[in-house]
Amino acid sequence: FQAYSDLRNHIETTYWYQAVGLLSAEDHEELRCLIGRAKEKLRGEPIQIPHIEHRQLHLLIYRRLENPFVTGLLEGYWEVYEAFGLDLYTDLAYQERVWDYHERMVEAICTRNFNVGYEALTEHMDLIFQRSKKPAFQTFE
C-alpha cells in the first residue's frame, strides 16, 4: 500500500495546478457539498466515516483532466485503500484533521488560491501514515 500511496501522492501533486484550473463553478459547488456531507457524517449519531465523500472529493478534483491514465491510477489507489481496510476504521480526531485539510483545499480551489490548496494537499497526504492502528479484536470464551 505504501508504494501505491507514494505513486498517488506524486500524481496528485504533479497534476494539481492543471486539474484545479480546469474545474468549473459547478465542480466547486459539488466539492463544497462533499465537505458538508462529510462533516454531517462526522457530527451524526452514530458517527459515520465519510469514505465515499473522501474518494469522490479526490477524484472530482482530477476528473476534468480527461486523462484515462491519471484517472485509472487514482481510481486504482482507492480500490487498494479499500482492499487494505483503510475505509473501515479511524478515530474521530484523525477524520476531523483530514476534513479540515479538505475544507482548506476546497476553499482555496474555489477562491483560485491554488498555492494555498497545494500546501494543504501536501500536508494532508502525510496524515495517512499518522493514523492510529486498528483496535485489536478480542475473542471471548
Side-chain angles (χ1 to χ4, degrees), residues 5 22 33 35 72-73 93 100 130 134:
S5 185
L22 295 171
C33 286
I35 296 291
L73 288 166
D100 285 344
Q130 299 171 23
K134 289 183 183 179

Side-chain angles (χ1 to χ4, degrees), residues 47-65:
I47 293 169
Q48 298 175 46
I49 296 172
H51 170 66
I52 292 168
E53 291 78 7
H54 193 184
R55 180 180 176 143
Q56 289 176 341
L57 183 130
H58 280 274
L59 293 177
L60 191 155
I61 291 170
Y62 297 90
R63 76 174 174 201
R64 296 261 182 227
L65 291 172

Side-chain angles (χ1 to χ4, degrees), residues 30-44 48-50 52-54 56-57 99:
E30 190 174 346
L31 288 167
R32 285 182 166 141
C33 286
L34 289 169
I35 296 291
R37 282 201 324 254
K39 291 198 170 219
E40 284 176 19
K41 284 185 172 184
L42 292 174
R43 285 183 241 152
Q48 298 175 46
I49 296 172
I52 292 168
E53 291 78 7
H54 193 184
Q56 289 176 341
L57 183 130
W99 285 96

Side-chain angles (χ1 to χ4, degrees), residues 14-25:
T14 299
Y15 282 97
W16 170 262
Y17 290 98
Q18 183 181 352
V20 297
L22 295 171
L23 295 174
S24 67

Side-chain angles (χ1 to χ4, degrees), residues 41-95:
K41 284 185 172 184
L42 292 174
R43 285 183 241 152
E45 286 193 31
I47 293 169
Q48 298 175 46
I49 296 172
H51 170 66
I52 292 168
E53 291 78 7
H54 193 184
R55 180 180 176 143
Q56 289 176 341
L57 183 130
H58 280 274
L59 293 177
L60 191 155
I61 291 170
Y62 297 90
R63 76 174 174 201
R64 296 261 182 227
L65 291 172
E66 296 184 11
N67 182 326
F69 299 104
V70 169
T71 303
L73 288 166
L74 293 178
E75 287 174 351
Y77 165 79
W78 289 101
E79 296 297 322
V80 171
Y81 185 95
E82 292 161 5
F84 274 78
L86 296 172
D87 59 322
L88 300 176
Y89 172 82
T90 52
D91 61 83
L92 182 58
Y94 173 82
Q95 284 293 323

